[in-house]
Structures are given as structure tokens and as C-alpha cells.
Amino acid sequence: MRFMMIVKATADSEAGAMPTTEELTAMGAYNEELAKAGVLLAGEGLHPSSKGARVVFSGDSRTVLDGPFAETKELIAGFWLIQAKSLQEAVEWAKRCPNPMRTESQIEVRQVFDADDFGDDLTPELREQEDRLRAETAQRQG
Amino acid sequence: MGAGATARAIEAVWRIESARLIAGLARVVRDVGLAEDLAQDALVVALEKWPESGVPDNPGAWLMATAKRKGIDLLRRDVMLDRKHAEMAHALEQRQESAPDDDDVDGVQDDLLRLVFTTCHPVLSTEARVALTLRLVGGLTTAEIARAFLVPEPTVGQRVSRAKRTLATANVPFEVPTGAELAPRLASVLDVVYLVFNEGYSATAGEDWMRPALCEDALRLGRVLAQLMPREPEVHGLVALMEVSASRTHARTAPDGSPVLLADQDRSRWDPMLVRRGLAALERAEQLGGALGPYALQAGIAACHARARTAEETDWERIVAFYDALAQLAPSPVVELNRAVAVSMAYGPAEGLALVDQLIDAPALRGYHLLPAARADLLAKLGRTDEAQEDLARAASLTRNVRERTLLLERARRLAGPHGSALG
């Protein structure tokens, strides 16, 4: 199973404050711990939302909103993708993270969808339809 | 936190901490079996106390301290208190007073490496190596291992305890082999990991064609090894092979659970992250220099498939070259068979069939279902439908995997049909 550990933004991270050498060292050690345990799949830090944009969908219309965005605590500042056997294991890994921010902050742990997660609700016919859609999308993109 | 939630949290802590715990204890007590018993004792205490007190902030250090206390008690109580045990008790006390283990990252890594070489020691049977490695290094429970290999739980339990006794009786030292011993011992470690992966990737028995959780366990072990032995190209080669192979997990199973052949797979469903990780690991193996080992060569072949956007774009000539190298390095009829298939793709089915036919009498391939399966493909391409059907039927009678048997019979049926095409 895969889980995403999502680091939520803070006023500091949104202001573009860079981590100190000490903070970088601690985070580097944590990344190494994840890698040494064989669970780390990917991880990235994100620029503040002032450098980002949103595309808003409503029917056929597409509206682009430039950052920054107001609801700081709901924004994402970075993430790890890890392999774990259970939510509890992923949570245990998250607890081992050094404080990701200088002020109070959060890491949200979410399970990544897998075709198997749909269980019996996803009938072979539905799966086939989903696969076909994926293939068509891929063709359009390719 | 409810009792159930705490139990699950303890299980998670165990999965994360147990290998380091057992490895650290084994260095002091010089007995992997005793080290695991002490670690289990500490787990029992955790299961009693944590539901009341909550999971401690540093559960790894807590478990280690508890296990050491248990060890000192046990060694002191031991009526056979000889000098060896007195020394061990003293060493445990020393370790307890010294700085927390977490600070000694290199020491922990060295202990883990010793543990891996011990659980994969040649004095043990292959089955015992697999069970002990998954349990002590992978942090899996006996029940999980039993489920993964479709054997009764007591069987796995017996395998593990017998393996621990064998290691103790044979006085297997808790150490990493050096010199000329290292290469064959490392090969044995890698083989154990790959065997676990393969059992997950193409299950040899049972209803399911794949057991992805077992692939994940093997991948995790492989990545741990790559961190422990970053200078060994074959470790990266094995990781590359497993990551690229695992990238095809979702594409190689049809909605009804039956297997999908590589050429027929929807490549948009290959996991690009695992492909990227696999190619990066292969690059590391290549950069370390020297001739590529058998795992790196197989990873090279897997990478050729991963790089081809369509089956038609596959660089079969390059794959043949990899198989040539593999056949020299690790000659086996199975490699020859795969090489024959690659040759048929690069230079035509007739050339491939000539090579396959040379293998029919190889004793190692008698009963190997993929030989008639591959031969059937080539015969079908050459328009020799009747012979192809015969070989497919033979292949179906030889496989123990239910899903695979169905697929083979289905291919035979399609060849027979009025609209039968050469390739199913």
C-alpha cells in the first residue's frame, strides 16, 4: 500500500521562508531514515502558493486564478510518498518526522488509491470501462 | 486511543523497529534466536503497558531498553550461569548505560547487515532462509508469512524455530563475510530476496496470479540492502529488476484476474514512478563499474521493455545481447529459452524455433510449462497451428497456477476457432 504524507503550509512557508541549515540537516536525516527502511518512494517540497495558480472548473468554462491563496492551513507545502502495510505504520512514520515547520504545523496521512481498493464495487465491466478511459486519455495526451 | 487502535499501533511500531532491535541485541548476545526471543519479550511488555500508558515518544528506544532488561534478568537467572553468559549480561548492562542507540546510525546499519547475512546463511535451507529473513529483517509475523506462501502457520513457525536452532548449533558467527567469501554469500542474500519477489510476482501455486503485497515486502528488503551496501552493483541491479517488474503489476492482470502477456499489456498502466526508480537503480549499478552481474543484466532487459512505448518499439537486438551475456555468466536452460524467444523477436520465428527445439530434451526444462508455451507461440507464427495447439495443451497440463492454465487453454481454443489468429 502507498500513503502520502502531506505537509500543510504555514504563514512562514507561504511567505517563502527558507529552512535553516539545522532544519535542513534534521529533515535530511529523516529522509535518510525513510530510505534506509526501504519505504521512501518519492518526496518533494513545494514553492509558496504565490508562485502557483488554480484552474477553476465549472461546466465548460475554465477560469485561472493566480496565487497566493488565502486559506493557508489548507494549502500543501510538500509531501512524501511512502510504502507501508497499514495506515498505522504510515502514521508511525509521520510521527518520527522532525517538526516540518517552525510554528505549529500538520502532516496529513492519506492512502493512495489502488485498483484493488474498489473491491467488489468495481465490477470487471466497470474496470474495463475505467481502463478504456485511461487508455483513451493516454492516447490523447500521447 | 482504544485497545484495538493501540494494538494496531504496536504492530506498526514492531514492523518499523523489530529488525534494528533484533540486530542490535544479536550483536551483544551473539545469538539471533535469543535476540529475537528478547525482542518478543519486550513486545509482550509493550502489549501489556502501552494500552494504558500510550505509545512512548521513542518506541524503538523503549523496546530496546526493555529487551536488554529482560536479557540481563534471563542471563542472571540462568542456572547454567557460565562465563559466556556473565559476559553477555555485562555487555548488555554496558550497552544500557551507553549513549542511546539512535545516535549510532552506522552501528545500527552494520548490525542490520550482519543480521541479513545471518538469516540468509547457507547452513539453512532455502525455505528457512526465506522465512527467517521475512520474519527477522522484514518484520512480518509468522501468520503473514504463512498467508503469503499458502502454507499452514505452524509450518512456518517450525521452520523459523528450526532455523534459529540450526544457526545456534552450527555456531554461525554474527558477522558480515569478507574476502572471497563475500561474493557467494551476497549472491545467496540477493537470491532470497528475489525468490520472495518472484513468489509474489508469479505465484507458483494457488488461485491468484500475483500477490502484490509479497512483491512490496521484497522491494522493501531490496531497498534496505541497497542502503546497506551502496557499493555493490548487483544489489542495485536486483532493486532495478524488481522496481521495473513491479511497475507492470496492474497491467499484467486482466479485470477477471487472469494474466496478460507483456506484448498485450496496456503500457499506459505501467507505473511510471516505479519505472523511473528502476532505471535510476540500474544506472547506479552501471556507474559502479565492472561487468554487470546476472541481476543487473536481467534489469537491463526489463529496462528495454520499460523504455519501449509500444511492444513494436522494443529493442530486441539489445535484449538478445543482454541474454548472450547472461547465458555466459549464469548459463541455464531457462535463460536459453528466453534468449530463443528474444532471437525470434529480433530475427524471426524460424530462428527462435530452431533454438527452442535444441532445448526440448534439457532435463531441467522437463515439466517447465513455459517451454511448450513459448514453442507454441513460434509454431503459431509460422502457421503450424495443430502443433501449436498440442504444445499449448501440454503447457496447460504442466502449470500449477490456475489462472495461467486457463490462459493457456484459452489461447489453444482461439487457435482452433474459425477466426483463430496467430497471436492471442
Side-chain angles (χ1 to χ4, degrees):
Chain A
M1 284 188 258
R2 289 178 188 175
F3 292 86
M4 189 174 264
M5 304 194 296
I6 303 161
V7 180
K8 294 301 185 68
T10 61
D12 272 355
S13 74
E14 276 296 279
M18 295 306 284
T20 63
T21 313
E22 265 173 34
E23 287 163 340
L24 280 175
T25 310
M27 206 47 96
Y30 177 63
N31 283 327
E32 209 171 299
E33 199 187 338
L34 292 174
K36 278 181 173 156
V39 297
L40 179 63
L41 297 174
E44 304 289 350
L46 305 184
H47 280 290
S49 70
S50 57
K51 291 192 177 182
R54 274 178 183 166
V55 180
V56 182
F57 293 77
S58 176
D60 292 334
S61 92
R62 307 283 182 265
T63 317
V64 178
L65 296 178
D66 288 327
F69 306 114
E71 57 284 17
T72 304
K73 281 183 175 175
E74 303 305 321
L75 299 175
I76 292 168
F79 68 90
W80 288 272
L81 202 60
I82 64 164
Q83 174 190 312
K85 274 209 186 284
S86 63
L87 171 66
Q88 285 75 20
E89 189 190 338
V91 166
E92 282 304 317
W93 280 116
K95 280 164 71 182
R96 282 161 164 74
C97 185
N99 282 349
M101 300 284 173
R102 254 158 263 171
T103 52
E104 196 176 291
S105 57
Q106 282 183 17
I107 292 181
E108 189 172 307
V109 182
R110 302 276 296 271
Q111 188 175 348
V112 178
F113 260 124
D114 200 327
D116 299 335
D117 292 328
F118 294 104
D120 295 336
D121 293 338
L122 192 64
T123 62
E125 292 74 28
L126 274 174
R127 270 181 201 227
E128 223 164 327
Q129 184 189 30
E130 190 205 28
D131 289 353
R132 210 169 45 239
L133 282 173
R134 276 183 198 228
E136 282 167 13
T137 314
Q139 270 170 12
R140 249 178 272 136
Q141 285 167 347
Chain B
M1 206 187 279
T6 311
R8 284 195 297 278
I10 294 172
E11 195 185 319
V13 167
W14 181 254
R15 197 180 301 287
I16 294 172
E17 301 291 345
S18 62
R20 283 187 288 188
L21 189 61
I22 293 165
L25 290 164
R27 173 151 57 101
V28 187
V29 301
R30 285 171 263 158
D31 179 334
V32 167
L34 177 58
E36 206 220 354
D37 291 344
L38 293 176
Q40 288 284 350
D41 286 348
L43 177 65
V44 170
V45 180
L47 284 165
E48 282 165 13
K49 294 208 167 158
W50 292 2
E52 298 270 323
S53 65
V55 178
D57 285 341
N58 191 339
W62 190 99
L63 286 168
M64 182 59 101
T66 307
K68 281 176 182 166
R69 229 176 5 254
K70 288 275 169 188
I72 294 166
D73 289 352
L74 181 83
L75 294 168
R76 288 225 174 105
R77 214 170 41 228
D78 199 330
V79 281
M80 303 281 288
L81 189 65
D82 55 15
R83 243 183 80 199
K84 188 183 159 209
H85 284 176
E87 271 173 28
M88 282 196 237
H90 183 66
L92 277 173
E93 274 173 337
Q94 292 273 304
R95 293 257 300 176
Q96 213 165 19
E97 284 157 14
S98 62
D101 294 286
D102 285 3
D103 291 352
D104 185 12
V105 175
D106 291 340
V108 171
Q109 290 292 96
D110 290 347
D111 288 343
L112 264 181
L113 195 53
R114 291 186 187 103
L115 182 64
V116 174
F117 275 102
T118 308
T119 60
C120 295
H121 196 277
V123 77
L124 302 170
S125 72
T126 304
E127 283 174 339
R129 287 179 216 176
V130 167
L132 206 58
T133 304
L134 282 176
R135 168 126 170 198
L136 268 54
V137 187
L140 268 68
T141 64
T142 305
E144 285 172 327
I145 300 169
R147 263 203 308 279
F149 285 88
L150 307 178
V151 289
E153 201 178 323
T155 309
V156 176
Q158 281 161 14
R159 244 176 235 171
V160 168
S161 47
R162 210 178 309 133
K164 290 196 286 195
R165 266 203 311 280
T166 307
L167 288 174
T169 314
N171 258 320
V172 168
F174 189 65
E175 63 184 26
V176 176
T178 52
E181 220 193 322
L182 178 63
R185 290 284 306 280
L186 175 60
S188 160
V189 170
L190 300 183
D191 287 349
V192 166
V193 176
Y194 192 50
L195 197 147
V196 173
F197 181 83
N198 253 334
E199 187 53 33
Y201 198 61
S202 27
T204 51
E207 287 285 326
D208 294 319
W209 155 242
M210 288 192 71
R211 292 201 282 282
L214 207 50
C215 291
E216 288 195 343
D217 289 327
L219 265 165
R220 184 169 169 184
L221 282 173
R223 295 180 194 129
V224 168
L225 288 178
Q227 293 285 328
L228 289 171
M229 293 176 280
R231 308 290 312 160
E232 292 291 342
E234 263 300 79
V235 181
H236 297 294
L238 172 63
V239 171
L241 174 60
M242 294 194 295
E243 302 259 21
V244 175
S245 305
S247 76
R248 300 182 205 135
T249 298
H250 296 305
R252 66 200 295 273
T253 308
D256 66 356
S258 62
V260 181
L261 299 176
L262 185 60
D264 302 329
Q265 287 172 16
D266 172 0
R267 295 179 180 224
S268 69
R269 301 200 69 202
W270 289 358
D271 186 326
M273 183 181 67
L274 291 180
V275 169
R276 200 172 58 240
R277 292 182 58 90
L279 295 180
L282 180 59
E283 202 173 309
R284 272 194 293 280
E286 287 166 345
Q287 278 169 356
L288 285 165
L292 294 181
Y295 286 118
L297 288 171
Q298 291 175 76
I301 294 164
C304 283
H305 293 301
R307 289 192 191 103
R309 284 189 309 162
T310 63
E312 292 71 31
E313 275 179 42
T314 312
D315 186 350
W316 286 104
E317 288 176 30
R318 188 153 179 222
I319 291 177
V320 170
F322 275 123
Y323 274 121
D324 285 344
L326 196 58
Q328 291 232 316
L329 198 63
S332 94
V334 174
V335 170
E336 290 297 338
L337 177 61
N338 285 317
R339 188 173 155 269
V341 173
V343 166
S344 81
M345 296 304 290
Y347 308 108
E351 298 234 17
L353 185 62
L355 293 173
V356 171
D357 282 344
Q358 288 171 20
L359 297 169
I360 286 180
D361 293 325
L365 293 182
R366 203 167 293 147
Y368 186 59
H369 66 282
L370 291 180
L371 174 79
R375 192 166 180 272
D377 259 347
L378 302 178
L379 288 167
K381 280 181 191 167
L382 292 166
R384 293 158 65 177
T385 312
D386 289 349
E387 290 165 89
Q389 276 179 294
E390 277 171 34
D391 270 3
L392 282 170
R394 192 172 313 135
S397 71
L398 290 173
T399 182
R400 286 195 296 144
N401 187 291
V402 179
R403 299 287 194 188
E404 218 170 1
R405 184 179 310 140
T406 312
L407 176 80
L408 289 162
L409 292 174
E410 174 60 28
R411 272 162 68 193
R413 238 191 324 275
R414 259 183 285 169
L415 279 180
H419 306 293
S421 73
L423 265 183

